[in-house]
């Protein structure tokens, strides 16, 4: 039974893995309600250091479409802070705090003024700073001469959690105008990314097509296209999940077949007597099939708990891979996944019962009783 | 003259044992009257159980005819034979073969469920039968909570569930101690007195002695009786 439970747990985990990443990514993209992202032509958001020029013009073009509700241009950059004799580096996003979709405020306040910055807990820890402290932030650092450029004193006004941030990544955000000023002419009126909210009821795919036509120097990525790209990049995981899931199902099938066959062999005399007293072959087959399904269901129930525990453990390991957003779950529990696994197990239980049921129904009554008597 | 309930004419039963052919029954002709109590005796391997299996319609003869309650049963299909056994024949075996997960009452009711008897009726009849075999107070007990003799009495009650015209027993006292065996012998006698036709295969001299008629077998043939 434990073997069946382990196979069921493995199957559940693999179903969760096969569907979880996609769903988790979809939820992540939708978490702040931005349906479309614009990245420099031919890239994915923050895939490269490339930026989109003409933020003001693009914003004006986008505003002309009544289906577009909000636009959030985001500029990304590396920042450096001198702490004692060492340089602490991190990333910073230049945003409009009123419409941003990159972070959640944990405490304090948004960077409402030009000299404000919000940082994540990991950055705070690296800096040894607290909310309310003033830090000297630079957008450039030459490690050979140990000189900083684009420096500005900023006050930490809040603690935040970055939605797309990875574990152990120092992240911060300030007003886009502040970051532009600190980086100088090179990024004047430029953005690394635009995030776009569409009007409720509007067709995001149609808006995406419109943007690509009207703003030719960007790649517009809707949730659907983003998921398709993620699907393509993570297809390895899905294939692995399908293979391991199939193996688990097959192992479970073999275990149930073996258990029921052994049970039928041990009860050959009992089954022969049932047949002798008038129990039909059909009822014998039904009983053995039910036994197979019962073992599968019991294994599935045990496996559900085991699967959830192992999924949580494996998820913690995989989610800690460098560069992956913390919010991405590899194993996402969805009732549909649990039902799918249970359905597959029940089908496999029915299949597993066929051979032993056929054996039980075919037992020659007199011969089986004679063998039992000799035994 | 009444028609016999069991009638066998020149019945043969051969088995293939590897390359050899074993002649388990060699031209047995036999008749058992309704209401009779017959003990089939003889040395091991003489064909007693094979004969009982043919009468019980759980085996087919190689040749010859078998009639039970006026019906030819030697060439019945599996489905026909199953239905015939369900309604006409009760079996008691050396090992009791009760369903371990069912109570005594449920074990007795099992053949009635198979015969699609209404639930209330089968519960009442099972309770009556358990009372008849002296286990009225053990209805809810599982086989593991019963002694060997009690389990055999439950098996006898189960055999009587659908009111069979014939009760067949293969070494019914074989796994019981002498005192419990005596109780089962007394129960068989009472059943016969109440009108049940009984055929037992046994090595037990006491059980055979309690029968009205003894049939001796040797080397697959009826030699006496």
């Amino acid at each position: 039974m434990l073997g069946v439970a382990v196979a069921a747990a493995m199957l559940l985990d693999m179903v969760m893995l096969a569907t979880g990443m996609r769903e988790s990514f979809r939820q992540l993209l939708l978490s702040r309600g931005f349906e479309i992202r614009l990245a420099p032509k031919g890239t994915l958001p923050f895939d490269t250091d490339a930026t989109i020029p003409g933020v003001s013009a693009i914003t004006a073009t986008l505003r002309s479409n009544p289906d577009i509700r909000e636009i959030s241009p985001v500029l990304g950059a590396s920042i450096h802070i001198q702490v004692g004799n060492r340089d602490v580096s991190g990333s910073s996003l230049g945003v409009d705090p009123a419409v941003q979709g990159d972070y959640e405020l944990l405490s304090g306040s948004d960077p409402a003024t030009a000299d404000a910055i919000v940082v994540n807990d990991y950055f705070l820890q690296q800096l040894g700073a607290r909310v309310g402290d003033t830090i000297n932030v630079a957008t450039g650092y030459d490690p050979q001469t140990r000189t900083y450029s684009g420096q500005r004193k900023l006050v930490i006004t809040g603690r935040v959690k970055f939605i797309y941030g990875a574990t152990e990544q120092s992240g911060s955000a300030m007003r886009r105008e502040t970051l532009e000023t600190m980086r100088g002419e090179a990024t004047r009126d430029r953005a690394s990314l635009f995030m776009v909210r569409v009007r409720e009821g509007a067709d995001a795919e149609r808006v995406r097509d419109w943007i690509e036509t009207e703003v030719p120097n960007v790649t517009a990525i809707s949730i659907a296209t983003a998921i398709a790209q993620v699907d393509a990049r993570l297809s390895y995981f899905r294939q692995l999940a399908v293979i391991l899931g199939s193996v688990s199902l097959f192992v479970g099938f073999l275990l149930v077949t073996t258990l029921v066959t052994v049970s039928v062999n041990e009860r050959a005399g009992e089954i022969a007597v049932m047949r002798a007293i008038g129990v039909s072959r059909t009822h014998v087959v039904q009983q053995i099939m039910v036994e197979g399904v019962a073992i599968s269901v019991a294994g599935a129930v045990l496996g559900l708990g085991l699967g959830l525990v192992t999924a949580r453990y494996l998820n913690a390991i995989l989610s800690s891979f460098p560069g992956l957003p913390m919010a991405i779950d590899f194993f996402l529990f969805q009732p549909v996944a649990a039902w799918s696994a249970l359905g597959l197990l029940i089908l496999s239980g029915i299949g597993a019962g066929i051979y032993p049921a056929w054996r039980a129904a075919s037992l020659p009554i007199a011969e089986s009783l004679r063998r039992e008597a000799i035994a | 003259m009444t028609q016999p309930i069991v009638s066998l004419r020149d019945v043969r039963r051969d088995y293939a044992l590897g390359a050899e052919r074993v002649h388990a029954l060699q031209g047995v002709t036999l008749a058992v009257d309704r209401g009779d109590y017959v003990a089939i005796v003889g040395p091991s391997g003489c064909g007693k159980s094979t004969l009982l299996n043919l009468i019980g319609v759980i085996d087919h003869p190689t040749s010859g005819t078998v009639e039970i309650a006026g019906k030819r049963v030697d060439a019945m299909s599996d489905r026909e034979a199953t239905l015939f056994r369900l309604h006409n024949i009760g079996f008691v075996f050396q090992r009791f073969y009760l369903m371990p997960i069912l109570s005594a009452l449920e074990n007795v009711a099992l053949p009635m469920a198979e015969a699609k008897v209404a639930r209330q009726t089968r519960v009442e009849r099972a309770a009556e039968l358990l009372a008849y075999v002296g286990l009225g107070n053990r209805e809810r007990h599982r086989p593991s909570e019963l002694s060997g003799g009690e389990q055999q009495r439950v098996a006898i009650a189960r055999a009587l569930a659908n009111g069979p015209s014939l009760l067949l027993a293969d070494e019914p006292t074989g796994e019981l101690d002498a005192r419990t065996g005596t109780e089962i012998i007394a129960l068989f006698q009472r059943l016969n007195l109440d009108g049940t036709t009984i055929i037992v295969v046994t090595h037990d001299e006491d059980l055979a002695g309690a029968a009205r008629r003894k049939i001796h077998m040797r080397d697959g043939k009826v030699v006496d009786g």
Side-chain angles (χ1 to χ4, degrees):
Chain A
M1 182 59 77
L2 189 63
V4 179
V6 169
M10 183 91 165
L11 177 65
L12 176 68
D13 284 352
M14 291 307 114
V15 173
M16 284 166 70
L17 181 63
T19 57
M21 278 182 299
R22 189 175 197 281
E23 180 57 21
S24 172
F25 191 73
R26 195 182 70 83
Q27 288 174 4
L28 181 67
L29 291 178
L30 276 171
S31 60
R32 302 291 286 189
F34 290 92
E35 293 93 346
I36 298 171
R37 283 146 178 87
L38 310 186
K41 191 78 180 172
T43 70
L44 288 173
F46 292 115
D47 225 15
T48 67
D49 289 334
T51 53
I52 305 164
V55 170
S56 311
I58 291 173
T59 304
T61 304
L62 295 178
R63 285 199 194 290
S64 70
N65 187 328
D67 282 343
I68 292 177
R69 191 156 57 94
E70 278 175 348
I71 303 153
S72 172
V74 180
L75 177 63
S78 295
I79 58 169
H80 301 268
I81 299 112
Q82 189 171 11
V83 179
N85 281 333
R86 68 190 173 96
D87 172 65
V88 175
S89 64
S91 61
S92 192
L93 297 178
V95 298
D96 176 354
V99 291
Q100 64 81 24
D102 294 287
Y103 64 78
E104 285 170 13
L105 190 66
L106 300 176
S107 65
S109 58
D110 282 312
T113 58
D115 64 346
I117 187 170
V118 288
V119 297
N120 68 4
D121 283 344
Y122 188 72
F123 212 170
L124 274 181
Q125 190 189 324
Q126 295 297 305
L127 296 170
R130 289 181 302 181
V131 173
D133 287 355
T134 300
I135 52 175
N136 204 0
V137 180
T139 51
Y141 173 64
D142 183 339
Q144 284 187 324
T145 59
R146 302 184 73 178
T147 53
Y148 291 90
S149 57
Q151 275 189 308
R152 184 162 179 169
K153 285 192 187 311
L154 298 173
V155 179
I156 301 172
T157 59
R159 275 174 58 232
V160 296
K161 179 181 149 194
F162 286 93
I163 292 161
Y164 307 101
T167 50
E168 300 188 356
Q169 185 182 38
S170 298
S172 66
M174 61 186 82
R175 295 188 68 83
R176 189 169 60 85
E177 297 80 1
T178 305
L179 194 58
E180 266 188 16
T181 307
M182 288 169 70
R183 291 194 68 185
E185 279 306 312
T187 56
R188 183 76 65 202
D189 202 31
R190 282 177 170 267
S192 307
L193 165 78
F194 282 79
M195 293 167 78
V196 176
R197 272 196 188 112
V198 300
R199 184 178 50 77
E200 202 174 324
D203 181 351
E205 287 304 315
R206 184 180 287 182
V207 174
R208 189 192 74 83
D209 291 343
W210 178 84
I211 293 172
E212 287 217 322
T213 309
E214 297 297 318
V215 191
N217 61 332
V218 300
T219 295
I221 303 155
S222 66
I223 302 284
T225 50
I227 287 173
Q229 289 184 11
V230 166
D231 270 352
R233 288 189 176 202
L234 298 179
S235 64
Y236 167 76
F237 276 98
R238 272 202 322 283
Q239 285 169 18
L240 185 74
V242 168
I243 291 167
L244 290 179
S246 305
V247 169
S248 311
L249 194 62
F250 185 63
V251 169
F253 170 83
L254 286 183
L255 281 172
V256 175
T257 303
T258 307
L259 282 173
V260 181
T261 304
V262 167
S263 163
V264 164
N265 289 344
E266 281 178 354
R267 292 183 298 145
E270 187 182 302
I271 292 165
V273 167
M274 286 297 105
R275 295 277 292 117
I277 66 173
V279 174
S280 67
R281 274 187 168 154
T282 311
H283 282 177
V284 171
V285 167
Q286 278 173 358
Q287 194 185 326
I288 304 298
M289 300 282 274
V290 164
E291 206 170 298
V293 172
I295 291 173
S296 298
V297 170
V301 170
L302 278 175
L304 179 68
L306 192 63
L308 290 176
V309 171
T310 49
R312 179 174 287 192
Y313 175 70
L314 291 172
N315 196 52
I317 293 174
L318 291 172
S319 296
S320 64
F321 278 11
L324 279 174
M326 277 184 291
I328 282 283
D329 284 315
F330 283 77
F331 297 84
L332 186 68
F333 179 80
Q334 299 168 89
V336 70
W339 286 117
S340 302
L342 185 66
L344 284 170
L345 278 164
I346 289 174
L347 281 179
S348 131
I350 292 170
I354 288 175
Y355 170 70
W358 171 80
R359 266 182 67 94
S362 311
L363 279 176
I365 305 172
E367 176 62 18
S368 303
L369 290 171
R370 195 176 68 80
R371 270 199 232 115
E372 280 290 307
I374 292 167
Chain B
M1 187 177 163
T2 57
Q3 192 185 15
I5 190 166
V6 175
S7 175
L8 286 83
R9 285 185 207 91
D10 196 24
V11 169
R12 294 173 187 275
R13 181 66 171 102
D14 299 341
Y15 296 108
L17 192 66
E20 283 191 37
R21 198 130 185 98
V22 176
H23 305 290
L25 292 180
Q26 303 182 47
V28 172
T29 297
L30 177 73
V32 175
D33 291 331
R34 201 173 286 274
D36 209 349
Y37 179 3
V38 176
I40 302 172
V41 294
S44 294
C46 71
K48 305 186 296 291
S49 292
T50 304
L51 179 61
L52 198 75
N53 290 343
L54 291 175
I55 296 170
V57 206
I58 56 175
D59 198 3
H60 292 292
T62 309
S63 65
T65 61
V66 182
E67 251 179 54
I68 309 290
K71 195 160 190 174
R72 278 283 295 272
V73 297
D74 47 85
M76 277 183 168
S77 68
D78 180 78
R79 187 186 291 262
E80 288 170 330
T82 303
L83 267 178
F84 186 83
R85 290 193 301 270
L86 182 65
H87 294 288
N88 297 282
I89 296 170
F91 274 103
V92 178
F93 297 94
Q94 179 173 350
R95 293 181 185 179
F96 327 115
Y97 290 118
L98 301 174
M99 295 289 110
I101 58 163
L102 302 181
S103 67
L105 188 93
E106 289 163 340
N107 266 288
V108 176
L110 191 64
M112 290 187 271
E114 191 68 22
K116 297 185 171 55
V117 174
R119 183 178 164 73
Q120 187 58 34
T121 311
R122 60 181 194 248
V123 169
E124 285 168 8
R125 172 138 175 87
E128 277 171 24
L129 287 167
L130 282 174
Y132 181 83
V133 299
L135 293 175
N137 57 341
R138 311 286 269 170
E139 287 177 5
R140 303 285 158 208
H141 288 71
R142 300 242 166 132
S144 58
E145 298 163 333
L146 301 172
S147 69
E150 287 172 329
Q151 288 188 55
Q152 191 60 298
R153 281 191 272 165
V154 174
I156 292 168
R158 180 179 65 183
L160 300 170
N162 286 326
S165 39
L166 186 60
L167 179 66
L168 305 179
D170 194 351
E171 300 286 4
T173 56
E175 294 220 341
L176 305 176
D177 58 46
R179 189 181 63 79
T180 317
T182 307
E183 289 172 10
I184 297 299
I185 292 167
L187 180 56
F188 274 133
Q189 282 181 311
R190 183 150 61 93
L191 275 169
N192 181 240
L193 285 173
D194 290 342
T196 309
T197 309
I198 302 173
I199 301 176
V200 291
V201 162
T202 186
H203 283 107
D204 183 338
E205 288 295 332
D206 293 334
L207 180 59
R212 294 169 193 257
R213 177 182 165 200
K214 263 195 224 182
I215 294 173
H216 291 269
M217 288 189 71
R218 187 178 297 277
D219 298 332
K221 294 175 184 162
V222 173
V223 292
D224 180 23

